[in-house]
Amino acid sequence: MCGIIGCAARRDVADLILGGLRQLEYRGYDSAGLAVIRDGSLVVVRREGRIDNLAGQVKASGVDGHTGIGHTRWATHGAPSEKNAHPHSDGSGNLAVIHNGIIENHEVLRERLKAKGHVFHSETDSEVFPHLVQEHQKTHDLLDAVRLAIQEVRGTYAFVVIDRTQPGRIVGARRDSPLVVGLGKGENYLASDVSALLALTRDVVYLANGDVVELTPDRVRVLDENGADKPLQISRVEWDAEAAAKGGYRHYMLKEIDEQPAVVAKTLQRHLDESSGKARFVLPDAAALEPWLANVDRISITACGTSWHAGLVGKFLIEKRAGIPVDVDYASEFRYRDAVLSKNHLVLAISQSGETLDTLAAIREARARGAKVLSIVNVQGSSLVRDSDGVVLTDAGPEIGVASTKAFTTQLVALQVLSWVLARARGRLDREREAKAVEDLRVLRFKLEECLSRGEEVAKAAELFARAQDFLFLGRGVNYPVALEGALKLKEISYIHAEGYPAGEMKHGPIALIDANMPVVVVATPGRVHEKVLSNMQEVKARGGRIVAVAAADDAAVRKIADFVLPVPVVDEDLSPIVNVVPLQRLAYWVADLRGCDIDKPRNLAKSVTVE
Ligand code: M6R
């Protein structure tokens, strides 16, 4: 939530900051702002709404300078207005501050500062911070003033501060909100995530919780929470600028849907060891944890949104293959429900961004209570990677569309691998079966390509049903989470009310909703509950419902009942969620497009949810 960028350079940086903000816009798009220092003056431009509004104003006014910061906001405290847009300033007008996170004790701080004569202009929690820094600057240098100010703040933050009287200098600090340093030639940067920096550099330093950083064009200095200098740990980002670009597509979401064959194959490849001739599943980024996995006797999966849906698929796979009991919790619930954690308990977190605060809070709680944490994560260097005992990295690449697509299918591949590794650790997987499992997964890329080549049916179904007000999505077994995911995709980008349900549960309530106006999307691919699903479809038909079925192209039984079929290639049932979700992602996309929705930036949402 909220995107942050800062740059200290020897050239004008307004364009660079606007470019970075465009890459970060998926983090929030309620308002945007920029501040630059030029000839000893601080110029601040803020606009309600999208970056385009800000860019128009920056261009028209010719604002520029060598030191600058920019912010794109996802509103928490205070309406999405210009007055509440960042950067915020202090009373002296010397400071400009951008913030991502929530200052929980902002009211107490505000009252205290007011009593000292400070005047506030916004409804935000963030505005107290420049005033706090200003107070400390009466006796301290900017860097120390920021260090002292963060000690008074309770909550989460990534702050970036510039001071009109100190051009060429930027100070940043983070706790539980991401902040990464980018290293350039004769210029240095700060940003919420690497996607904003890819056009500038791939050499980065991930800041740890409690770190404070000082940037000039030539120097980066990082201090730990005790104020001691830290050596710079420079990482090279694997992603490139092209991966984060739209590449000729109308929307990131469509590009990301189409990337799925390649990223699914890449994620699998990362987890195969082919050194001995026969490929074996490996967890290269959890090597230290792997021997211990044989002891695991219980697994709690914790995640949010789409990643939680992947977790539900994981439960099916792990219980079936490894025979380990698994429960799946929303991260926001897990943290507060006093889960019973035993000695051999593995907590498995799943997250695209690795920055979702609910998920981070859940695993921190679990680790504090002695559990080991393994995380499936897409973003290297993210907080979840740093805070876990081991990770299973997905290779989705940058996912910019707010609606998650390729992250989901690569998470499912990671869960396939993990379930087999756990099965092997418990003596339930022999070499022959493992080789077959590897082959089945390798073929998936081609099945996905085949699936993506069948676009017309989805587009037709979208046209037929785009004006519906409600949708019901049904699935059973390992495809029940796919029904949930199909419903989530549709509601978040088209704003149509949609519910996902286990098909067998429909008769216990939702069946009352069925009529000719509410399309019922059923995942009805071959598998052990196929006949049951056919019966559930009959129940819908008997009540006048209209059915869109995701099914094998030649499934005559489904065709007989369904009004519309979205054909998918046949794969093993346990792999089928990876294929079956694709037409549902596309259905949501085309329906949203027909309804004129802003697909990559749906209202009220943000890509990475860094507040609780
Ligand atoms: O980055 P994460 O995977 O932790 O994000 C979790 C959810 O916020 C995310 O999946 C969200 O539900 C997406 N908008 C779904 O499309």
Side-chain angles (χ1 to χ4, degrees), residues 154-209:
R154 225 182 43 240
T156 59
Y157 54 78
F159 290 118
V160 181
V161 185
I162 55 174
D163 183 331
R164 177 185 70 78
T165 66
Q166 300 178 48
R169 193 176 184 209
I170 300 183
V171 176
R174 73 155 288 203
R175 179 165 301 280
D176 293 335
S177 292
L179 196 58
V180 57
V181 178
L183 305 172
K185 289 201 173 59
E187 55 193 45
N188 290 306
Y189 327 97
L190 271 174
S192 312
D193 67 55
V194 293
S195 56
L197 302 176
L198 291 175
L200 304 164
T201 182
R202 287 164 71 184
D203 292 326
V204 301
V205 176
Y206 296 106
L207 297 178
N209 261 342

Side-chain angles (χ1 to χ4, degrees), residues 93-317:
N94 287 344
L95 298 176
V97 170
I98 49 179
H99 169 222
N100 172 24
I102 291 182
I103 301 177
E104 285 167 5
N105 57 338
H106 70 102
E107 276 176 11
V108 178
L109 293 172
R110 186 184 284 251
E111 288 315 309
R112 218 174 66 203
L113 288 159
K114 271 186 184 166
K116 288 185 174 169
H118 289 260
V119 178
F120 293 89
H121 303 283
S122 79
E123 301 147 357
T124 65
D125 54 329
S126 311
E127 196 187 359
V128 298
F129 195 70
H131 290 264
L132 269 184
V133 175
Q134 186 203 345
E135 275 295 313
H136 288 294
Q137 273 188 304
K138 289 177 183 165
T139 46
H140 291 85
D141 164 66
L142 176 65
L143 180 67
D144 286 332
V146 170
R147 290 192 52 237
L148 291 167
I150 57 175
Q151 285 168 25
E152 296 185 66
V153 165
R154 225 182 43 240
T156 59
Y157 54 78
F159 290 118
V160 181
V161 185
I162 55 174
D163 183 331
R164 177 185 70 78
T165 66
Q166 300 178 48
R169 193 176 184 209
I170 300 183
V171 176
R174 73 155 288 203
R175 179 165 301 280
D176 293 335
S177 292
L179 196 58
V180 57
V181 178
L183 305 172
K185 289 201 173 59
E187 55 193 45
N188 290 306
Y189 327 97
L190 271 174
S192 312
D193 67 55
V194 293
S195 56
L197 302 176
L198 291 175
L200 304 164
T201 182
R202 287 164 71 184
D203 292 326
V204 301
V205 176
Y206 296 106
L207 297 178
N209 261 342
D211 282 355
V212 175
V213 60
E214 183 186 30
L215 299 186
T216 68
D218 304 305
R219 185 161 179 246
V220 174
R221 186 177 169 209
V222 179
L223 309 177
D224 68 16
E225 52 193 333
N226 302 315
D229 274 284
K230 286 173 76 171
L232 294 189
Q233 278 200 5
I234 302 171
S235 308
R236 181 95 182 141
V237 180
E238 282 181 22
W239 300 348
D240 57 21
E242 204 187 315
K246 237 189 241 174
Y249 280 83
R250 280 178 63 222
H251 296 102
Y252 279 108
M253 184 180 176
L254 200 54
K255 176 184 178 236
E256 289 161 4
I257 289 172
D258 280 359
E259 283 172 346
Q260 290 179 110
V263 295
V264 154
K266 203 169 169 198
T267 302
L268 174 64
Q269 200 53 43
R270 180 189 283 275
H271 297 99
L272 293 181
D273 173 5
E274 296 174 282
S275 57
S276 67
K278 256 191 187 161
R280 302 194 76 207
F281 294 113
V282 283
L283 304 178
D285 304 294
L289 212 53
E290 223 177 315
W292 176 80
L293 293 180
N295 306 327
V296 171
D297 58 16
R298 182 140 211 120
I299 296 178
S300 293
I301 297 181
T302 185
C304 308
T306 289
S307 299
W308 183 79
H309 296 156
L312 291 177
V313 176
K315 174 183 167 73
F316 276 88
L317 301 177

Side-chain angles (χ1 to χ4, degrees), residues 210-459:
D211 282 355
V212 175
V213 60
E214 183 186 30
L215 299 186
T216 68
D218 304 305
R219 185 161 179 246
V220 174
R221 186 177 169 209
V222 179
L223 309 177
D224 68 16
E225 52 193 333
N226 302 315
D229 274 284
K230 286 173 76 171
L232 294 189
Q233 278 200 5
I234 302 171
S235 308
R236 181 95 182 141
V237 180
E238 282 181 22
W239 300 348
D240 57 21
E242 204 187 315
K246 237 189 241 174
Y249 280 83
R250 280 178 63 222
H251 296 102
Y252 279 108
M253 184 180 176
L254 200 54
K255 176 184 178 236
E256 289 161 4
I257 289 172
D258 280 359
E259 283 172 346
Q260 290 179 110
V263 295
V264 154
K266 203 169 169 198
T267 302
L268 174 64
Q269 200 53 43
R270 180 189 283 275
H271 297 99
L272 293 181
D273 173 5
E274 296 174 282
S275 57
S276 67
K278 256 191 187 161
R280 302 194 76 207
F281 294 113
V282 283
L283 304 178
D285 304 294
L289 212 53
E290 223 177 315
W292 176 80
L293 293 180
N295 306 327
V296 171
D297 58 16
R298 182 140 211 120
I299 296 178
S300 293
I301 297 181
T302 185
C304 308
T306 289
S307 299
W308 183 79
H309 296 156
L312 291 177
V313 176
K315 174 183 167 73
F316 276 88
L317 301 177
I318 294 169
E319 290 189 337
K320 178 174 172 182
R321 293 173 179 170
I324 304 170
V326 180
D327 43 45
V328 188
D329 273 288
Y330 288 115
S332 52
E333 291 295 318
F334 179 82
R335 185 185 177 190
Y336 295 108
R337 82 163 167 83
D338 298 321
V340 179
L341 298 176
S342 56
K343 193 162 112 287
N344 292 329
H345 207 118
L346 175 70
V347 171
L348 175 62
I350 308 176
S351 173
Q352 187 284 127
S353 61
E355 299 294 349
T356 300
L357 194 59
D358 287 326
T359 309
L360 289 171
I363 62 129
R364 285 172 188 155
E365 173 72 19
R367 281 187 96 190
R369 289 169 52 198
K372 290 224 186 330
V373 172
L374 179 66
S375 295
I376 295 177
V377 197
N378 190 44
V379 179
Q380 294 195 18
S382 60
S383 302
L384 192 56
V385 171
R386 307 163 73 95
D387 286 1
S388 301
D389 298 292
V391 291
V392 182
L393 289 171
T394 53
D395 282 292
E399 192 181 64
I400 312 283
V402 166
S404 189
T405 52
K406 60 177 179 169
F408 180 67
T409 41
T410 53
Q411 286 166 350
L412 295 184
V413 171
L415 286 160
Q416 289 284 340
V417 171
L418 179 62
S419 63
W420 286 126
V421 169
L422 288 165
R424 193 177 60 209
R426 291 169 66 97
R428 293 168 67 121
L429 179 67
D430 60 32
R431 289 303 293 261
E432 218 171 297
R433 180 69 189 93
E434 185 165 6
K436 161 95 173 65
V438 170
E439 266 330 292
D440 288 349
L441 278 162
R442 277 193 168 133
V443 170
L444 263 183
R445 142 178 227 147
F446 306 107
K447 298 288 182 185
L448 282 167
E449 280 167 1
E450 193 184 330
C451 187
L452 286 166
S453 69
R454 303 286 302 258
E456 335 75 71
E457 289 92 344
V458 185

